[in-house]
Amino acid sequence: MCTAIIGLPDSSDHLPVLGLRCLRAQAERILDEISCGILFLGVDGIDLDFGLSITNLAEANLNKKMIESAQIVAILADSTKFGRRGLGKVCELDQVQFIITDEGISPGTLRKLNERGIKILIAHSS
């Protein structure tokens, strides 16, 4: 993803670790200078107290930068992600306007998110 942001071909699987760090740093600098309307972001955990998190600690900072550059944040997470925590914290729940999930979300969690002003969009299976 970092390579796409800065316009390089996606060859990150062939770059040494130092190269990836440089690309990530460049992507973070670019994100400081742009504004995006809507960010759709996947996460590994949504905990009502801890916030949103991912398992890849190295990407947590880049995700934070993307959230800061967005006017609207929409989280994509299936219902198994609720009540879980990943290693790297991405943001607090109050930074999120929408969560798109499936029908498995518990009524209690749905109610608590609605009370916080987060709009929940449920994708129904056909």
Side-chain angles (χ1 to χ4, degrees):
M1 174 160 72
C2 296
T3 54
I5 290 173
I6 61 173
L8 296 175
D10 188 12
S11 60
S12 59
D13 56 331
H14 297 91
L15 293 174
V17 172
L18 180 58
L20 288 175
R21 287 187 186 136
C22 291
L23 288 174
R24 188 172 292 116
Q26 178 68 18
E28 288 177 9
R29 282 192 296 277
I30 289 170
L31 286 168
D32 283 336
E33 304 298 324
I34 66 170
S35 174
C36 116
I38 301 174
L39 171 67
F40 292 90
L41 183 68
V43 297
D44 298 319
I46 301 174
D47 183 277
L48 297 176
D49 298 318
F50 185 70
L52 281 68
S53 56
I54 60 173
T55 54
N56 186 331
L57 188 58
E59 289 184 17
N61 264 354
L62 188 58
N63 287 346
K64 288 177 187 179
K65 289 284 192 180
M66 289 190 293
I67 288 169
E68 290 170 6
S69 73
Q71 297 170 29
I72 297 171
V73 177
I75 299 300
L76 307 169
D78 66 72
S79 59
T80 66
K81 304 300 190 243
F82 292 93
R84 294 179 57 192
R85 292 184 185 189
L87 181 60
K89 184 172 184 171
V90 174
C91 71
E92 300 288 342
L93 278 169
D94 64 359
Q95 294 176 267
V96 173
Q97 290 76 36
F98 295 92
I99 296 178
I100 302 166
T101 190
D102 60 64
E103 299 166 316
I105 185 171
S106 76
T109 300
L110 183 60
R111 179 181 45 76
K112 289 176 184 175
L113 291 168
N114 283 325
E115 288 171 356
R116 293 179 180 214
I118 300 171
K119 295 173 183 69
I120 308 300
L121 303 172
I122 298 178
H124 298 280
S125 59
S126 45

